[in-house]
Amino acid sequence: MVEPILRGYCQVVRYVVGLIGRSVSYLLPVLATIVAYEVFARYVIDKPTIWGYDTSLFLFGYIAALGGAYAQQREAHINVDIVHGKVPEKTRRIFDLITAVLAMGFLAVMIKTCYGMFLESLQYHYKTQSEWAPPMNHFWLMITVSATIFIAQYSTEFISNLFFLATGRELNGKVHPHVSLDDQPFHVSLDDEPFNSDSHQVEKSVFDKENPNGN
């Protein structure tokens, strides 16, 4: 009874996170167009806009923040896996649980802080320090929502890893293996077999430090 509920929750969260992440990607060409126009207006026709800088800054923040949870879902964030890639699967899951707890704790603090800034900006009408001076309240609200979405994504990973440790099975039936360092695409081994084909054969060569010719 519990497993279908957990699976359903994870599927809904992953769908929403994916939908938001793919949606904000459409802001990238808008951002690129605004930046290109601002450069043209400033350096070609000598008529810079008063809104280009703030708008591009806001769009970049929206893209980066709202796309963060989707990047986490796609495992696109930079990872230092020197230890993570060498330990057994259960140990990796424990590492992932600890990471999720720490990340959700940090994001909870961010939500509290940014929501407080949102309320304060509404009360005191905070604006950017520019000639255009747009209001800042929407930006703080967006950061709050982004952190909430990020926590939801981390919660699915926490549930999935905890379920695996408790039952030895994947919750959603889909395996996301952590590749060891030896299996990385740029791993080079001199013990590999020579490459053979119908037209040619490439022999394996090893650099010999003791031979001045390197053969």
Side-chain angles (χ1 to χ4, degrees):
M1 181 62 184
V2 177
E3 183 176 346
I5 295 176
L6 295 177
R7 185 186 300 113
Y9 168 79
C10 293
Q11 289 175 347
V12 170
V13 170
R14 285 167 182 155
Y15 174 79
V16 173
V17 169
L19 181 63
I20 294 174
R22 290 188 296 270
S23 298
V24 296
S25 67
Y26 291 104
L27 295 176
L28 282 171
V30 178
L31 173 61
T33 301
I34 292 175
V35 172
Y37 177 77
E38 178 64 22
V39 172
F40 173 79
R42 181 178 297 273
Y43 296 105
V44 178
I45 62 178
D46 197 23
K47 291 183 179 180
T49 66
I50 64 172
W51 52 266
Y53 175 78
D54 289 322
T55 303
S56 60
L57 186 64
F58 285 145
L59 283 176
F60 180 79
Y62 271 72
I63 294 169
L66 291 173
Y70 183 60
Q72 175 65 26
Q73 183 184 103
R74 304 290 295 180
E75 300 181 356
H77 289 293
I78 297 175
N79 296 315
V80 181
D81 54 359
I82 295 177
V83 176
H84 191 277
K86 291 292 187 180
V87 296
E89 180 65 23
K90 287 189 176 181
T91 307
R92 297 176 193 172
R93 300 295 180 128
I94 294 174
F95 285 168
D96 291 340
L97 282 177
I98 296 173
T99 300
V101 171
L102 294 176
M104 288 190 289
F106 171 78
L107 290 167
V109 174
M110 181 182 294
I111 290 174
K112 181 180 179 181
T113 303
C114 291
Y115 185 70
M117 291 298 299
F118 167 68
L119 297 178
E120 188 175 327
S121 64
L122 283 178
Q123 181 179 0
Y124 296 104
H125 306 287
Y126 288 163
K127 298 181 178 180
T128 62
Q129 297 180 352
S130 65
E131 185 179 358
W132 187 35
M136 287 288 296
N137 48 50
H138 66 94
F139 194 76
W140 292 114
L141 179 61
M142 180 274 298
I143 297 296
T144 304
V145 172
S146 300
T148 303
I149 297 171
F150 223 139
I151 285 182
Q153 171 59 34
Y154 265 117
S155 70
T156 64
E157 299 178 12
F158 180 87
I159 292 172
S160 298
N161 289 321
L162 192 62
F163 183 85
F164 178 86
L165 290 174
T167 65
R169 296 183 292 108
E170 293 287 350
L171 177 62
N172 58 1
K174 182 179 179 181
V175 180
H176 298 279
H178 295 280
V179 181
S180 65
L181 294 181
D182 291 335
D183 297 327
Q184 295 296 328
F186 299 107
H187 177 73
V188 178
S189 175
L190 295 178
D191 296 328
D192 296 337
E193 292 297 327
F195 172 75
N196 296 304
S197 66
D198 295 337
S199 59
H200 63 278
Q201 178 177 359
V202 180
E203 296 293 340
K204 177 176 57 177
S205 61
V206 180
F207 182 78
D208 186 0
K209 295 181 180 179
E210 308 237 342
N211 191 329
N213 296 323
N215 296 321

